[in-house]
Amino acid sequence: MGIYIINKCVRERLKKDVEQMKLQDPNFRPGLVVLQVGDRDDSNLYISMKLKAAAEIGINATHMRLPKTATEEEILHSITEVNENSSVHGLIVQLPLDSIHKIDTEKVTNAVAPEKDVDGLTSINAGKLARGDLGDCFLPCTPNGCMELIRQTGVSVAGKRAVVIGRSKIVGAPMHDLLLWSHATVTTCHSKTTDLPGEVGKADILVVGIGKAEMVKGEWIKKGAVVIDCGINHVPDETKPSGKRVVGDVHYASAKEQAGFITPVPGGVGPMTVAMLMANTVLGAKRFLESHQPGKWNISYTKLNLQKPVPSDIVISRSCVPKPIDRLAREVGLLSDEVELYGKTKAKVQLNIIKRLQAQPDGKYVVVTGITPTPLGEGKSTTTIGLVQALGAHMKLNVFACVRQPSQGPTFGIKGGAAGGGYSQVIPMEEFNLHLTGDIHAITAANNLVAAAIDARMFHESTQSDKALYNRLVPLSGGQRKFSPIQINRLKKLGIEKTDASTLTEDEITRFARLDIDPSSVTWQRVLDTNDRFLRKITIGQSPTEKGYTREAQFDITVASEIMAVLALTSSMEDMRQRLAKMVVATSRSGQPITTEDLGVSGALTVLMKDAIKPNLMQTLEGNPVFVHAGPFANIAHGNSSILADKIALKLVGPEGFVVTEAGFGADIGMEKFFNIKCRYSGLRPHVVVLVATVRALKMHGGGPIVTAGMPLPKEYIEENLELLENGCSNMKKQIENAQHFGVPVVVAVNAFKTDTEAELDLICSIAKAAGAFDAVRCSHWAEGGAGAVALGQAVQRASEAPSNFKFLYDLELPITDKIRIIAQKIYGADDIELLPEAQHKVELYTKQGFNNLPICMAKTHLSLSHEADKKGVPTGYVLPIRDIRASVGSGFLFPLVGTMPTIPGLPTRPCFYDIDLDPETEQVNGLF
């Protein structure tokens, strides 16, 4: 077979391989980068040949040029960038490095990641070849091309006598190794070899790469030998236009008479070298795909050392050494350039992973909710983490937890942390409960920038004429006024199709410059991530510099900010930019909604939020991955973690894996909003609802006595009382019914306490199944970790395979009042609703403003199915009063206010901060719970 045909066959085979990869993943292409320093003509020629070959095969090849002035540091930096780029599977450093500076070539070639070193020049690849690890390295291209040519002659290498002339790192030395591991008897000859013709004469296979023109003569060669000539030399030739021609290291004319097969120069080894370079790049891409198959995890779990009695949460968290977060990221299929490390135990995940995995099927989607909450606690977070530990560490399924980031306010107030509890926690709990990666601080900054912009704009409009205001909003720069892009958006919104600031009419100037905000209509509040009751009503603008411009205002806690809800519901950076721009902050005196885009601040908000949009990666006590992202209030907002975290996790776990997320408060609040708001915007369809209940909480719903913080529990809660428990199960039955409205199977998780009796636990399970639950399972994950939730995990796995018929509770096109009524009657059990005058006015206003097609997010007490917190069980025979309705247009919902509720908590007489301190020697946080 001729060399041209051999070369063509290799390229055709590679082309088919690339097409096969594309069938596996339509977005995937093998990637090659050729890094060149300087501008040598010979290098340019070689590179153009490589780029042409890559294009023919379907490899995405990039030529990265660095100037002659490039320093060693700059070259190494460029190599590091390519090493960390997951879309590149091969990196060639074109030699020689044509720089004016002294460059250590060995250091530069060894800087290439071994798994991308398609030239096979790094010490690691050369070492593996020398040791015979041929399946775990890249073979240098010229020797590999030579071997391909020898194979195609049909000559068996095993047992043959082979001679290699030359011992360079690029040809001679690796050629020796390749022949040796192909079972030839190999002699390497070099400048110190005494009888070169004699040695050559013994060779059945001769490979020459010594760099001396036509040095090997035909008469030296054994009759019928295979001769591979790797030399490229220029000799004078007056018949050629250039005055020279290219010859090899072997005298071709005489050698041809002796050899059974000989490669010509040019046109022999050169094209095969390029073909092997392409083969290595395709091999690199194949290896990458094999090691990064979505859903193929190579994860190690952390074994728990269970103690009895169960120690405090912080002691348990401390006793477990978390895996380095970059290792966990690799275990679950994240690439190094998709992860931003924040220390050793937390990281952010880049959104570009969504594009990489978009063709992959999603895993199973599970939402954890609960009965109506009581002060006794149901343990939803603990159950979420326990279930994830069971599915992963014990049932060996790919599983992700997706939970909300807790506010720091309650951490120092009454409630304490929210990382789960006992042996089912997110760790390190102090990182989880405190600053994490600063997302909540970013929201605080963004929110308060909007608040400052509103008041500053009202102040400046009240103290300036239209013309003065316009001239300051569009200042002179270089002798002319120019609109910023955000101001062009405002002009378009006003129907003014102009971009030249000097052409606006007086009327257009007034309309553009004057927002004319009605101060009494401002709905945007300042926020702080601290429980501070004295900020619930304040007066702003009392300094003399504000010229008497004062108004009443308030602070909310940061997690109540609409920006937090936007973060939780957004699907991309572009979508977040649009949502932030649509946030309505006030109404003008003429009744027009005023947005952050009108204020000119929406672009700046996106900048402040650009890192917060990336989900945070942490882990459970048993080493399962957890996304901690977004933490909207569950009453005035929708109380669920981010859509982005769920979407990324569903791709990472693969079709047989699970993503377990948690909805805030009871099923009537968090779960209803999860389905009607979150799932509506995400397009995701849940497979299973896990409803958490406890004996103690159900007893309270059955009429049990009031519980006071810090006081011993009444005996009803620690002694068997089946009658009280059965009465309270009415609440659980109602919440099962609520989940069934959405057509999703329900598994009840009975979170067991040591004071619960067998009869009590059995009673809950039997009532739950009779009420239509798919299954009801007792759990002990608080005391036993994942092992205590294996039965729950098995029930969830079975339920995920059961038929489900997911549907929304209401159509968005229905009138606002009808949507509210459906939720009140079907979910809360109310007879009807009553709109108070302010709420009726808002229905009319929002319908006129075009916001009537938004979903509904009820702002109601979480402590009862009704609007009265002290009404436990399943209240009936009541009308739900709607005091007011507000619009979160950016996040995309209307929130009717049912009764009054504080949007910033206060501190108790003895807050948690009394117990929190830092050990100055170890820097350990003490006292968190």
Side-chain angles (χ1 to χ4, degrees):
M1 194 188 295
I3 291 169
Y4 170 77
I5 295 169
I6 295 169
N7 193 3
K8 194 176 176 196
C9 287
V10 171
R11 293 190 188 204
E12 285 300 322
R13 187 187 78 227
L14 296 175
K15 206 171 178 179
K16 281 182 185 153
D17 286 350
V18 172
E19 281 164 10
Q20 198 59 43
M21 287 183 215
K22 279 187 177 173
L23 285 177
Q24 228 177 307
D25 181 352
N27 298 306
F28 185 80
R29 272 182 84 185
L32 173 68
V33 168
V34 184
L35 176 65
Q36 179 186 14
V37 180
D39 195 30
R40 282 176 57 127
D41 289 340
D42 55 348
S43 291
N44 290 336
L45 179 65
Y46 297 142
I47 290 168
S48 69
M49 285 163 59
K50 291 167 186 173
L51 297 178
K52 184 169 176 256
E56 282 173 16
I57 290 162
I59 293 169
N60 190 15
T62 307
H63 184 186
M64 184 185 277
R65 285 177 185 270
L66 295 181
K68 270 190 170 193
T69 53
T71 61
E72 186 173 280
E73 189 72 22
E74 287 166 342
I75 297 166
L76 292 171
H77 177 73
S78 295
I79 289 171
T80 303
E81 276 189 345
V82 178
N83 284 344
E84 291 176 357
N85 183 344
S86 58
S87 65
V88 177
H89 313 103
L91 169 56
I92 300 162
V93 178
Q94 187 68 42
L95 300 177
L97 299 165
D98 181 24
S99 172
I100 59 170
H101 303 287
K102 189 172 183 299
I103 308 287
D104 183 342
T105 302
E106 187 72 6
K107 187 177 178 183
V108 167
T109 51
N110 271 311
V112 176
E115 68 275 13
K116 297 191 181 189
D117 171 32
V118 288
D119 263 332
L121 296 181
T122 60
S123 299
I124 288 175
N125 278 320
K128 285 182 175 178
L129 171 58
R131 288 172 51 166
D133 299 336
L134 272 61
D136 188 33
C137 69
F138 281 119
L139 305 178
C141 301
T142 299
N144 200 12
C146 295
M147 287 303 296
E148 183 69 26
L149 290 170
I150 295 165
R151 275 192 292 270
Q152 293 296 343
T153 65
V155 171
S156 169
V157 177
K160 295 289 189 297
R161 189 178 283 275
V163 171
V164 178
I165 304 179
R167 53 183 171 181
S168 73
K169 289 178 186 173
I170 294 173
V171 180
M175 193 70 233
H176 171 280
D177 294 336
L178 271 175
L179 287 162
L180 183 67
W181 297 117
S182 296
H183 312 298
T185 303
V186 190
T187 304
T188 298
C189 299
H190 41 78
S191 57
K192 300 288 190 288
T193 301
T194 51
D195 179 15
L196 188 58
E199 294 295 342
V200 170
K202 297 173 192 170
D204 302 312
I205 297 167
L206 176 66
V207 182
V208 188
I210 203 156
K212 292 195 174 176
E214 301 181 325
M215 189 188 85
V216 176
K217 310 302 178 201
E219 57 267 25
W220 298 3
I221 295 166
K222 183 179 179 181
K223 189 71 178 169
V226 173
V227 179
I228 309 291
D229 188 352
C230 302
I232 296 179
N233 308 285
H234 293 92
V235 296
D237 187 342
E238 291 171 8
T239 65
K240 301 284 180 189
S242 62
K244 55 188 178 182
R245 65 189 166 92
V246 177
V247 296
D249 291 351
V250 178
H251 187 271
Y252 185 77
S254 60
K256 195 168 81 165
E257 302 303 317
Q258 288 289 97
F261 174 87
I262 184 167
T263 57
V265 177
V269 172
M272 283 307 294
T273 299
V274 175
M276 291 301 111
L277 191 57
M278 298 305 120
N280 276 352
T281 304
V282 170
L283 176 63
K286 274 185 185 169
R287 285 175 179 167
F288 174 83
L289 276 181
E290 278 164 22
S291 62
H292 293 90
Q293 282 177 24
K296 185 182 174 186
W297 289 8
N298 182 21
I299 188 167
S300 60
Y301 295 105
T302 310
K303 193 163 171 38
L304 295 176
N305 179 22
L306 300 175
Q307 302 288 311
K308 291 230 167 47
V310 176
S312 71
D313 290 352
I314 191 94
V315 168
I316 293 171
S317 177
R318 253 318 124 68
S319 69
C320 183
V321 179
K323 291 186 278 191
I325 203 69
D326 56 338
R327 181 176 132 204
L328 177 63
R330 284 193 303 276
E331 287 179 342
V332 302
L334 288 161
L335 309 180
S336 60
D337 59 332
E338 292 167 343
V339 179
E340 293 174 12
L341 301 179
Y342 280 64
K344 294 177 182 175
T345 56
K346 52 192 179 179
K348 278 195 166 289
V349 174
Q350 300 267 17
L351 301 191
N352 57 10
I353 187 176
I354 295 173
K355 189 175 179 194
R356 174 170 73 86
L357 298 178
Q358 64 187 5
Q360 302 305 326
D362 288 345
K364 308 282 177 59
Y365 197 26
V366 179
V367 61
V368 176
T369 185
I371 60 169
T372 302
T374 69
L376 292 164
E378 290 67 59
K380 282 200 315 294
S381 300
T382 308
T383 302
T384 300
I385 303 307
L387 172 58
V388 165
Q389 291 180 167
L391 288 165
H394 300 270
M395 294 169 64
K396 306 306 180 205
L397 295 164
N398 292 350
V399 59
F400 242 102
C402 290
V403 297
R404 288 185 293 167
Q405 179 184 353
S407 164
Q408 274 180 192
T411 302
F412 295 100
I414 297 177
K415 183 173 175 283
Y423 285 103
S424 295
Q425 292 186 55
V426 181
I427 57 167
M429 70 166 290
E430 58 270 43
E431 298 280 358
F432 178 89
N433 285 310
L434 297 176
H435 305 283
L436 196 59
T437 56
D439 295 351
I440 290 180
H441 302 320
I443 291 165
T444 304
N447 184 98
N448 293 343
L449 182 61
V450 176
I454 295 165
D455 288 303
R457 185 60 173 263
M458 289 194 290
F459 172 74
H460 290 307
E461 286 190 23
S462 68
T463 56
Q464 295 176 53
S465 68
D466 293 355
K467 191 71 180 163
L469 194 60
Y470 181 72
N471 288 346
R472 286 190 173 94
L473 285 169
V474 194
L476 276 171
S477 175
Q480 59 184 138
R481 299 185 190 281
K482 278 191 177 172
F483 293 119
S484 68
I486 208 161
Q487 290 176 323
I488 300 277
N489 291 350
R490 172 150 173 81
L491 287 167
K492 284 180 181 168
K493 181 179 172 181
L494 295 169
I496 302 169
E497 296 294 330
K498 294 178 180 176
T499 54
D500 185 343
S502 63
T503 61
L504 266 64
T505 65
E506 281 190 20
D507 174 59
E508 287 170 342
I509 284 172
T510 301
R511 287 167 58 216
F512 170 80
R514 209 162 276 287
L515 298 179
D516 200 26
I517 294 170
D518 176 358
S520 67
S521 75
V522 175
T523 53
W524 195 268
Q525 311 300 346
R526 287 162 173 81
V527 298
L528 196 65
D529 197 30
T530 304
N531 289 9
D532 190 346
R533 66 191 330 126
F534 284 90
L535 295 175
R536 288 172 181 167
K537 185 172 270 193
I538 57 169
T539 304
I540 59 170
Q542 292 197 316
S543 165
T545 52
E546 274 51 73
K547 303 176 184 176
Y549 170 72
T550 63
R551 70 178 181 91
E552 277 198 347
Q554 69 182 60
F555 269 79
D556 293 338
I557 197 157
T558 299
V559 293
S561 169
E562 183 175 354
I563 296 176
M564 177 62 93
V566 165
L567 177 67
L569 289 169
T570 196
S571 57
S572 66
M573 192 72 81
E574 177 57 35
D575 177 65
M576 183 174 75
R577 169 72 179 78
Q578 289 170 7
R579 285 175 180 270
L580 292 171
K582 285 193 291 192
M583 294 189 303
V584 173
V585 298
T587 304
S588 71
R589 286 187 172 88
S590 63
Q592 293 303 308
I594 303 297
T595 66
T596 55
E597 187 90 338
D598 295 323
L599 281 167
V601 74
S602 50
L605 299 183
T606 312
V607 170
L608 285 169
M609 293 293 294
K610 74 179 177 62
D611 291 317
I613 194 174
K614 302 166 192 168
N616 304 296
L617 179 66
M618 293 187 76
Q619 64 193 287
T620 70
L621 280 167
E622 297 193 46
N624 308 88
V626 181
F627 275 141
V628 185
H629 199 218
F633 241 30
N635 47 19
I636 66 166
H638 66 292
N640 283 269
S641 58
S642 79
I643 285 173
L644 279 168
D646 290 1
K647 282 191 165 181
I648 293 169
L650 283 163
K651 294 294 182 194
L652 286 169
V653 297
E656 300 306 312
F658 284 81
V659 171
V660 182
T661 189
E662 178 194 342
F665 295 149
D668 56 310
I669 306 266
M671 183 198 71
E672 181 270 315
K673 295 173 182 181
F674 171 82
F675 288 135
N676 280 322
I677 299 174
K678 185 175 179 181
C679 290
R680 213 183 278 268
Y681 282 120
S682 70
L684 299 172
R685 297 292 174 261
H687 292 77
V688 186
V689 170
V690 173
L691 183 77
V692 182
T694 62
V695 169
R696 301 189 310 183
L698 287 171
K699 283 179 177 176
M700 182 173 274
H701 281 296
I706 291 168
V707 173
T708 309
M711 300 293 288
L713 280 179
K715 65 179 175 57
E716 287 85 346
Y717 297 115
I718 49 179
E719 293 176 4
E720 186 174 287
N721 190 326
L722 296 177
E723 186 186 351
L724 198 60
L725 179 61
E726 187 166 0
N727 290 341
C729 281
S730 61
N731 184 274
M732 175 184 69
K733 285 156 67 179
K734 175 60 181 152
Q735 300 290 29
I736 292 170
E737 178 196 307
N738 285 344
Q740 289 173 327
H741 282 309
F742 298 93
V744 181
V746 184
V747 174
V748 172
V750 186
N751 195 6
F753 286 73
K754 62 176 184 283
T755 54
D756 302 340
T757 67
E758 289 292 314
E760 287 175 327
L761 295 168
D762 288 343
L763 179 64
I764 297 175
C765 291
S766 62
I767 290 174
K769 288 177 193 171
F774 178 89
D775 204 349
V777 182
R778 62 177 77 177
C779 320
S780 52
H781 44 272
W782 180 80
E784 297 172 26
V790 169
L792 175 61
Q794 290 166 341
V796 166
Q797 189 178 25
R798 288 195 307 275
S800 73
E801 289 156 6
S804 71
N805 179 29
F806 177 71
K807 54 188 180 290
F808 297 118
L809 194 67
Y810 54 81
D811 290 331
L812 291 182
E813 291 70 30
L814 288 172
I816 294 170
T817 309
D818 289 3
K819 288 185 277 197
I820 298 170
R821 184 177 287 111
I822 288 169
I823 295 170
Q825 291 176 336
K826 288 197 173 177
I827 301 295
Y828 307 154
D831 288 347
D832 203 352
I833 60 169
E834 179 193 6
L835 262 62
L836 300 183
E838 186 56 35
Q840 188 58 53
H841 164 67
K842 291 290 180 60
V843 167
E844 290 157 14
L845 175 69
Y846 294 145
T847 303
K848 179 185 156 196
Q849 291 180 338
F851 304 145
N852 50 307
N853 281 353
L854 292 175
I856 300 298
C857 182
M858 300 291 279
K860 176 187 81 72
T861 177
H862 57 289
L863 296 171
S864 170
L865 281 161
S866 76
H867 57 289
E868 296 175 274
D870 58 343
K871 296 280 197 301
K872 303 300 177 192
V874 184
T876 55
Y878 67 95
V879 173
L880 193 75
I882 311 298
R883 182 170 63 83
D884 194 0
I885 303 174
R886 297 199 184 140
S888 285
V889 181
S891 37
F893 52 72
L894 300 176
F895 60 100
L897 298 173
V898 183
T900 57
M901 62 199 68
T903 49
I904 186 165
L907 289 173
T909 308
R910 191 188 188 283
C912 297
F913 61 63
Y914 274 88
D915 302 308
I916 296 170
D917 207 341
L918 189 77
D919 183 319
E921 284 189 22
T922 62
E923 295 189 12
Q924 282 195 340
V925 177
N926 297 321
L928 276 180
F929 72 93

